[in-house]
Amino acid sequence: MRPLLEISRSAFRANLAAVEARIAPSTLMLVTKDDAYGHGLAWSAETAADAGVRWFGSYDVHSAVRIRDVLDSRGRVFAWATSEDAEIAEAILHDVDLGVGTLEYLRRVVAVARRLGRPARVHLKVDTGLHRNGVRPEDWPAAVREARDAEKAGTILLVGVWSHIAEASDAEDDESQAVFLRAVDEVRATGPAPDAVHLTASAAAWWRPELRGSLSRVGAFCYGIRSADGPDLVGIRPIATLIASVEEVSDGRARIGIGSLDGLASTLVGAPAGSPAGTTTVREIALAHAVVDAWPSASVGDRVRLFGPGEAGEPSATDLAERIGTVGEEILTRLSPRVQRLLID
Ligand SMILES: *Cc1c(COP(=O)(O)O)cnc(C)c1O
């Protein structure tokens, strides 16, 4: 049997509800980058939309358009990657909002919108210290002026102001927020207040209510991935379980059908796993198989859970990530296409 990633739609719905309750009155923008953190984009956008989620965030325009196709006219989709002109046009034609973090990109968005004769919906990004992308505070007044001019000319709608923070220390995040709020004030002073004001991702949206804007861009927590070195989250649980079946039992060991070629990091030797008789231990990870300690009744076809919500004693993806100095997202997104995705209710 191929390894299996079993994904629970009801667990996803429960996480969405828990996040929405926690962050209210801020509105959830469900972030779905990296194929919804390896869980699959289309079903998760559809499930979230059916559950009432109205904002979706995707890194690139291509995925944003896929979400738009699923949503039809429901809700808003936001794509924040600086994109080629052809993608800008795609976004405008599919009613996708664009995150804009440089003056050069703003000008290209304006030019494409003018050519199409349809306004682009723009969320202007200020750099609040991460130096990834975003208009520097000293350039912000000029960028706002240019955006307002384009708005008057009918080429854009300035619908949002946003930034991204490190979520590494409260003090730094507080400083970022101060810069952010000044930038928002500047926008408000020059015209209609933008509806969408957003700064926080999962951790800050969950733990720092004072940083939340009208929207909170939350990905990981909705998929049940807690922060590495962060505490458990009440009401949130992993929605995906990685399962491999026993192929052979001998000498107190069980060989299972998953290996490093399937995306299971070979450095996870020693990690716990879930068996029909409770927690066992991973002893070896080869290219196409792994070996775990057998349990008394172990037999071919038994299912071993490498990560999941913990029902058979298996660790979470983040528990595994912490063993090898990474984040839960990486454990999930590195799984190969050979791992079969199965949606269950
Ligand atoms: C990934 C990302 C998010 C969501 O982060 P999570 O920690 O998964 O909630 C939000 N905003 C931006 C800009 C991102 O890149």
Side-chain angles (χ1 to χ4, degrees), residues 283-306:
R283 295 296 175 192
E284 185 192 331
I285 297 173
L287 291 177
H289 73 263
V291 174
V292 300
D293 286 340
W295 47 100
S297 65
S299 50
V300 171
D302 282 356
R303 287 150 64 110
V304 171
R305 299 155 67 108
L306 284 311

Side-chain angles (χ1 to χ4, degrees), residues 72-247:
D72 210 349
S73 58
R74 293 179 290 181
R76 302 240 52 93
V77 189
F78 173 64
W80 66 83
T82 300
S83 304
E84 304 288 319
D85 288 4
E87 293 171 312
I88 297 172
E90 274 274 283
I92 294 173
L93 294 172
H94 287 88
D95 198 23
V96 166
D97 292 19
L98 291 167
V100 174
T102 68
L103 207 46
E104 185 271 337
Y105 189 42
L106 177 64
R107 287 172 185 158
R108 284 201 290 117
V109 169
V110 168
V112 173
R114 190 182 301 125
R115 209 173 65 227
L116 291 176
R118 262 173 87 156
R121 295 174 51 93
V122 166
H123 300 225
L124 207 54
K125 183 180 185 189
V126 61
D127 174 26
T128 51
L130 217 50
H131 304 308
R132 244 195 235 169
N133 173 260
V135 176
R136 292 296 184 84
E138 59 271 27
D139 301 327
W140 185 251
V144 172
R145 213 174 307 124
E146 221 166 297
R148 287 299 192 192
D149 287 347
E151 191 172 47
K152 285 191 197 99
T155 47
I156 72 163
L157 295 165
L158 185 55
V159 295
V161 180
W162 71 294
S163 189
H164 194 44
I165 54 177
E167 297 183 324
S169 89
D170 283 0
E172 268 177 61
D173 289 349
D174 289 342
E175 278 175 39
S176 295
Q177 187 198 25
V179 174
F180 182 64
L181 293 179
R182 277 198 295 277
V184 173
D185 281 346
E186 202 138 348
V187 173
R188 290 197 175 125
T190 56
D195 290 334
V197 173
H198 44 115
L199 179 66
T200 51
S202 283
W206 188 271
W207 299 110
R208 306 281 321 270
E210 64 282 11
L211 299 187
R212 291 176 204 139
S214 65
L215 298 178
S216 299
R217 299 184 309 272
V218 180
F221 287 10
C222 293
Y223 294 94
I225 306 167
R226 69 171 168 84
S227 310
D229 305 317
D232 282 337
L233 307 158
V234 176
I236 299 290
R237 68 183 175 104
I239 69 167
T241 307
L242 180 62
I243 298 165
S245 52
V246 173
E247 296 174 332

